[in-house]
Each structure stands twice: as structure tokens, then as C-alpha cells.
Short mmCIF file of all heavy atoms in Angstrom, two decimals:
data_model
loop_
_atom_site.label_atom_id
_atom_site.label_comp_id
_atom_site.label_asym_id
_atom_site.label_seq_id
_atom_site.Cartn_x
_atom_site.Cartn_y
_atom_site.Cartn_z
N VAL V 1 -21.60 -6.44 32.53
CA VAL V 1 -22.48 -7.44 32.01
C VAL V 1 -23.05 -6.98 30.72
O VAL V 1 -23.57 -5.97 30.54
CB VAL V 1 -23.60 -7.91 32.96
CG1 VAL V 1 -24.46 -8.98 32.52
CG2 VAL V 1 -23.00 -8.19 34.45
N ALA V 2 -22.92 -7.85 29.71
CA ALA V 2 -23.41 -7.74 28.44
C ALA V 2 -24.82 -8.41 28.28
O ALA V 2 -24.96 -9.56 28.95
CB ALA V 2 -22.49 -8.21 27.31
N SER V 3 -25.62 -7.79 27.52
CA SER V 3 -27.09 -8.52 27.35
C SER V 3 -27.07 -9.77 26.53
O SER V 3 -27.98 -10.51 26.42
CB SER V 3 -28.03 -7.43 26.72
OG SER V 3 -27.52 -6.95 25.55
N ARG V 4 -25.91 -9.97 25.79
CA ARG V 4 -25.74 -11.19 25.02
C ARG V 4 -24.30 -11.47 24.95
O ARG V 4 -23.34 -10.73 25.22
CB ARG V 4 -26.50 -11.08 23.73
CG ARG V 4 -26.02 -9.97 22.78
CD ARG V 4 -26.75 -9.91 21.47
NE ARG V 4 -26.38 -8.89 20.65
CZ ARG V 4 -25.26 -8.84 19.85
NH1 ARG V 4 -24.67 -9.93 19.53
NH2 ARG V 4 -25.15 -7.70 19.05
N SER V 5 -23.93 -12.73 24.34
CA SER V 5 -22.59 -13.24 24.43
C SER V 5 -21.80 -12.46 23.30
O SER V 5 -22.04 -12.88 22.08
CB SER V 5 -22.68 -14.72 24.11
OG SER V 5 -21.32 -15.15 24.03
N ILE V 6 -21.00 -11.56 23.62
CA ILE V 6 -20.21 -10.74 22.68
C ILE V 6 -18.72 -10.83 22.99
O ILE V 6 -17.92 -10.81 22.11
CB ILE V 6 -20.53 -9.25 22.69
CG1 ILE V 6 -20.42 -8.77 24.02
CG2 ILE V 6 -21.99 -9.14 22.03
CD1 ILE V 6 -20.53 -7.01 23.92
N PHE V 7 -18.35 -11.04 24.22
CA PHE V 7 -16.99 -10.99 24.60
C PHE V 7 -16.20 -12.19 24.12
O PHE V 7 -15.07 -12.12 23.69
CB PHE V 7 -16.70 -10.86 26.16
CG PHE V 7 -17.35 -9.60 26.70
CD1 PHE V 7 -18.33 -9.68 27.89
CD2 PHE V 7 -17.13 -8.41 26.14
CE1 PHE V 7 -18.76 -8.46 28.34
CE2 PHE V 7 -17.82 -7.22 26.56
CZ PHE V 7 -18.68 -7.30 27.69
N SER V 8 -16.83 -13.50 23.99
CA SER V 8 -16.14 -14.52 23.68
C SER V 8 -15.98 -14.50 22.09
O SER V 8 -15.09 -15.09 21.56
CB SER V 8 -16.98 -15.84 24.02
OG SER V 8 -18.30 -15.73 23.35
N MET V 9 -16.90 -13.70 21.41
CA MET V 9 -16.82 -13.69 19.93
C MET V 9 -15.77 -12.52 19.53
O MET V 9 -15.19 -12.67 18.50
CB MET V 9 -18.22 -13.45 19.45
CG MET V 9 -19.20 -14.43 19.58
SD MET V 9 -20.80 -14.01 19.17
CE MET V 9 -20.53 -13.77 17.30
N TYR V 10 -15.76 -11.38 20.29
CA TYR V 10 -15.10 -10.21 19.75
C TYR V 10 -14.01 -9.63 20.70
O TYR V 10 -13.39 -8.64 20.40
CB TYR V 10 -16.13 -9.10 19.64
CG TYR V 10 -17.19 -9.46 18.61
CD1 TYR V 10 -18.62 -9.67 19.09
CD2 TYR V 10 -16.90 -9.56 17.27
CE1 TYR V 10 -19.55 -9.96 18.19
CE2 TYR V 10 -17.97 -9.95 16.32
CZ TYR V 10 -19.12 -10.06 16.68
OH TYR V 10 -20.27 -10.46 15.86
N GLY V 11 -13.74 -10.37 21.80
CA GLY V 11 -12.88 -9.90 22.79
C GLY V 11 -13.54 -8.93 23.71
O GLY V 11 -14.72 -8.44 23.51
N ALA V 12 -12.76 -8.46 24.71
CA ALA V 12 -13.37 -7.41 25.68
C ALA V 12 -12.32 -6.32 26.16
O ALA V 12 -11.22 -6.68 26.12
CB ALA V 12 -13.86 -8.17 27.00
N GLY V 13 -12.80 -5.16 26.42
CA GLY V 13 -11.98 -4.20 26.68
C GLY V 13 -12.68 -3.26 27.79
O GLY V 13 -13.76 -3.09 27.86
N TRP V 14 -11.66 -2.69 28.51
CA TRP V 14 -12.10 -1.61 29.51
C TRP V 14 -11.39 -0.42 29.02
O TRP V 14 -10.29 -0.24 28.68
CB TRP V 14 -11.59 -1.89 30.94
CG TRP V 14 -12.58 -2.84 31.66
CD1 TRP V 14 -12.47 -4.15 31.78
CD2 TRP V 14 -13.75 -2.55 32.23
NE1 TRP V 14 -13.44 -4.80 32.47
CE2 TRP V 14 -14.26 -3.84 32.88
CE3 TRP V 14 -14.47 -1.35 32.55
CZ2 TRP V 14 -15.56 -3.80 33.57
CZ3 TRP V 14 -15.73 -1.42 33.26
CH2 TRP V 14 -16.21 -2.52 33.69
N TYR V 15 -12.22 0.75 29.17
CA TYR V 15 -11.85 2.11 28.63
C TYR V 15 -12.13 3.05 29.62
O TYR V 15 -13.01 2.82 30.45
CB TYR V 15 -12.46 2.37 27.28
CG TYR V 15 -12.35 1.28 26.24
CD1 TYR V 15 -13.23 0.14 26.25
CD2 TYR V 15 -11.47 1.41 25.14
CE1 TYR V 15 -13.10 -0.92 25.23
CE2 TYR V 15 -11.27 0.26 24.31
CZ TYR V 15 -12.18 -0.78 24.27
OH TYR V 15 -12.05 -1.69 23.35
N ARG V 16 -11.40 4.19 29.57
CA ARG V 16 -11.72 5.28 30.51
C ARG V 16 -11.81 6.50 29.90
O ARG V 16 -10.91 6.82 28.91
CB ARG V 16 -10.89 5.08 31.76
CG ARG V 16 -9.44 5.58 31.54
CD ARG V 16 -8.59 5.33 32.74
NE ARG V 16 -7.22 5.73 32.47
CZ ARG V 16 -6.21 5.48 33.30
NH1 ARG V 16 -6.51 4.87 34.59
NH2 ARG V 16 -5.00 5.88 33.14
N GLN V 17 -12.45 7.50 30.42
CA GLN V 17 -12.48 8.87 30.02
C GLN V 17 -12.48 9.91 31.18
O GLN V 17 -13.43 9.91 31.89
CB GLN V 17 -13.69 9.10 29.04
CG GLN V 17 -13.62 10.51 28.49
CD GLN V 17 -14.72 10.71 27.34
OE1 GLN V 17 -15.70 10.01 27.33
NE2 GLN V 17 -14.37 11.54 26.47
N ALA V 18 -11.32 10.59 31.25
CA ALA V 18 -11.24 11.61 32.39
C ALA V 18 -11.80 12.77 31.87
O ALA V 18 -11.98 13.07 30.69
CB ALA V 18 -9.76 11.76 32.82
N LEU V 19 -12.16 13.68 32.84
CA LEU V 19 -12.81 14.95 32.38
C LEU V 19 -11.93 15.82 31.51
O LEU V 19 -10.80 15.97 31.75
CB LEU V 19 -13.14 15.70 33.77
CG LEU V 19 -14.20 16.85 33.62
CD1 LEU V 19 -15.51 16.26 33.37
CD2 LEU V 19 -14.28 17.57 34.91
N GLY V 20 -12.43 16.02 30.29
CA GLY V 20 -11.80 16.93 29.39
C GLY V 20 -10.72 16.15 28.52
O GLY V 20 -9.92 16.84 27.82
N LYS V 21 -10.84 14.85 28.61
CA LYS V 21 -9.81 14.07 27.90
C LYS V 21 -10.59 12.91 27.06
O LYS V 21 -11.68 12.80 27.22
CB LYS V 21 -8.78 13.26 28.79
CG LYS V 21 -7.87 14.24 29.60
CD LYS V 21 -6.82 13.44 30.34
CE LYS V 21 -5.95 14.31 31.13
NZ LYS V 21 -4.89 13.53 31.87
N GLN V 22 -9.91 12.50 26.01
CA GLN V 22 -10.53 11.41 25.11
C GLN V 22 -10.39 10.09 25.80
O GLN V 22 -9.71 9.84 26.85
CB GLN V 22 -9.55 11.38 23.87
CG GLN V 22 -9.64 12.55 22.99
CD GLN V 22 -9.20 12.25 21.56
OE1 GLN V 22 -8.19 11.56 21.47
NE2 GLN V 22 -9.56 12.92 20.60
N ARG V 23 -11.38 9.28 25.39
CA ARG V 23 -11.51 7.96 25.96
C ARG V 23 -10.23 7.18 25.51
O ARG V 23 -9.77 7.33 24.45
CB ARG V 23 -12.77 7.35 25.48
CG ARG V 23 -13.19 6.01 26.15
CD ARG V 23 -14.61 5.59 25.57
NE ARG V 23 -15.53 6.49 26.09
CZ ARG V 23 -16.77 6.48 25.69
NH1 ARG V 23 -17.15 5.78 24.53
NH2 ARG V 23 -17.73 7.33 26.24
N GLU V 24 -9.75 6.36 26.36
CA GLU V 24 -8.64 5.59 26.17
C GLU V 24 -8.74 4.07 26.75
O GLU V 24 -9.56 3.99 27.62
CB GLU V 24 -7.40 6.20 26.90
CG GLU V 24 -7.43 6.28 28.43
CD GLU V 24 -6.18 6.81 29.10
OE1 GLU V 24 -5.21 7.09 28.29
OE2 GLU V 24 -6.21 6.98 30.33
N LEU V 25 -8.06 3.35 26.11
CA LEU V 25 -7.96 1.93 26.46
C LEU V 25 -7.19 1.80 27.72
O LEU V 25 -6.15 2.33 27.84
CB LEU V 25 -7.44 0.92 25.36
CG LEU V 25 -7.14 -0.41 25.62
CD1 LEU V 25 -8.43 -1.21 25.67
CD2 LEU V 25 -6.13 -1.06 24.64
N VAL V 26 -7.72 0.99 28.66
CA VAL V 26 -7.04 0.55 29.88
C VAL V 26 -6.57 -0.84 29.93
O VAL V 26 -5.84 -1.41 30.71
CB VAL V 26 -7.60 1.08 31.22
CG1 VAL V 26 -7.65 2.55 31.30
CG2 VAL V 26 -9.05 0.49 31.38
N ALA V 27 -7.56 -1.77 29.27
CA ALA V 27 -7.21 -3.17 29.28
C ALA V 27 -7.96 -3.76 28.20
O ALA V 27 -9.16 -3.59 28.04
CB ALA V 27 -7.50 -3.80 30.66
N GLY V 28 -7.39 -4.62 27.38
CA GLY V 28 -8.02 -5.33 26.34
C GLY V 28 -7.64 -6.82 26.32
O GLY V 28 -6.44 -7.16 26.50
#
């Protein structure tokens, strides 16, 4: 949940970061 309306304006993404690894996109 975002505190204001951003996803309709800028799109939305899910990212993940495993231990010792860089953050990566999993869905956008």
C-alpha cells in the first residue's frame, strides 16, 4: 500500500533482494 496515488501515475514494480545479492526486479 502506498500513502498516495503513485502506481497509476508511474507504474508499479515488485523487487527482491536475497542475502548477499543485489536487488532485482521480479515484476513490473
Side-chain angles (χ1 to χ4, degrees):
V1 180
S3 57
R4 56 184 176 87
S5 179
I6 56 171
F7 301 131
S8 60
M9 295 175 62
Y10 302 111
W14 280 97
Y15 308 82
R16 69 185 179 190
Q17 187 168 21
L19 200 62
K21 295 187 177 182
Q22 289 190 333
R23 191 172 289 164
E24 62 176 356
L25 172 74
V26 293

